[in-house]
Amino acid sequence: SRRRHTRYIGDWSSDVCSSDLSWDNKYAGLQVLLSKALLAGGGGEHADTLRQYQAKAEFFLCACLQKNGGHNMKLTPGGLLHADEWNNMQYVSSATFLLAVYADYLAASRGALRCPDGEVAPGEMVRFARSQADYVLGKNPRGMSYMVGYGSYFPTHVHHRGASIPSVYAIDSRVGCMDGFDRYYNSKGADPNVLHGAVVGGPDAADGFVDVRGNYHQV
């Protein structure tokens, strides 16, 4: 199941300064996308409105970079952005994407991100984005890749029916409607099918992770 929520950084909820880009909150993505018109030298009669979107986009990006005057997104001790205990990697991957996209916009316009705690060059934004991707792929306190199938050490008890139930080619009997839960959900065995490329929910705020199929917040 998915928990519906909308969260904001600091006390700026009335200004819709989003703290994430997720399955049910698209503000940050929209704000970054609309900023492109201004950075490309356009906007025309809508420039003032677009500047408001840009300000909110940059508020979010500065928060990710820990340069937003104290209104920052949390980092784990190992350096991972941490927005929520529930499937945090979706927020990490989307924030990393927006940082890289905005860095491209700034590089093309020969600009820089102006944050309350200092100016950030596009190259620095890319380096931070790379640090998040590196963490996901194994450069973290556990040495674990949170992308299934990448590297030699990754989650093997993914909360996913297709991964945890054997293929029809591997078993002779049919898998009934409840068999997936009754027979395989609580199995301590590794997934019979590797879900290559899937990114799991990821570690908690202290970089802790439990690879158990029922731990749906993380796996």
Side-chain angles (χ1 to χ4, degrees):
S1 61
R2 292 179 176 179
R3 181 180 56 181
R4 295 293 176 182
H5 55 81
T6 301
R7 295 170 295 106
Y8 303 96
I9 298 172
D11 299 317
W12 289 45
S13 57
S14 61
D15 291 331
V16 196
C17 291
S18 175
S19 67
D20 61 62
L21 171 62
S22 62
W23 53 47
D24 58 354
N25 184 356
K26 310 302 181 188
Y27 283 120
L30 173 67
Q31 290 155 1
V32 166
L33 181 61
L34 290 175
S35 299
K36 183 180 182 181
L38 279 177
L39 293 170
E45 61 182 300
H46 304 294
D48 288 343
T49 300
L50 290 174
R51 274 190 283 271
Q52 295 179 51
Y53 282 104
Q54 183 184 30
K56 294 173 175 59
E58 294 190 343
F59 182 95
F60 171 73
L61 298 171
C62 291
C64 292
L65 294 163
Q66 310 298 294
K67 291 183 176 293
N68 204 38
H71 296 284
N72 296 319
M73 190 180 295
K74 294 179 181 178
L75 289 177
T76 70
L80 182 73
L81 289 169
H82 192 271
D84 202 295
E85 292 292 321
W86 185 295
N87 294 326
N88 183 60
M89 284 302 190
Q90 67 157 318
Y91 308 114
V92 174
S93 57
S94 59
T96 299
F97 170 70
L98 292 184
L99 282 162
V101 167
Y102 205 76
D104 283 347
Y105 294 167
L106 289 172
S109 63
R110 301 184 181 278
L113 178 62
R114 293 177 176 83
C115 296
D117 295 332
E119 195 170 271
V120 186
E124 185 178 347
M125 296 172 68
V126 171
R127 283 191 292 274
F128 182 82
R130 184 179 293 117
S131 76
Q132 299 302 292
D134 286 344
Y135 186 112
V136 173
L137 297 178
K139 193 175 181 179
N140 56 63
R142 294 180 59 86
M144 170 180 274
S145 167
Y146 292 103
M147 176 179 283
V148 179
Y150 183 88
S152 59
Y153 181 41
F154 51 83
T156 57
H157 297 74
V158 182
H159 186 82
H160 188 278
R161 283 180 180 264
S164 57
I165 300 176
S167 164
V168 293
Y169 299 107
I171 54 177
D172 296 329
S173 60
R174 293 179 58 187
V175 177
C177 183
M178 294 303 296
D179 287 346
F181 185 84
D182 294 339
R183 294 177 59 186
Y184 301 108
Y185 179 75
N186 292 313
S187 170
K188 297 188 184 302
D191 295 329
N193 310 308
V194 178
L195 203 62
H196 288 280
V199 176
V200 298
D204 60 25
D207 298 301
F209 181 80
V210 180
D211 187 13
V212 174
R213 197 164 289 114
N215 181 20
Y216 49 85
H217 287 78
Q218 294 187 316
V219 184

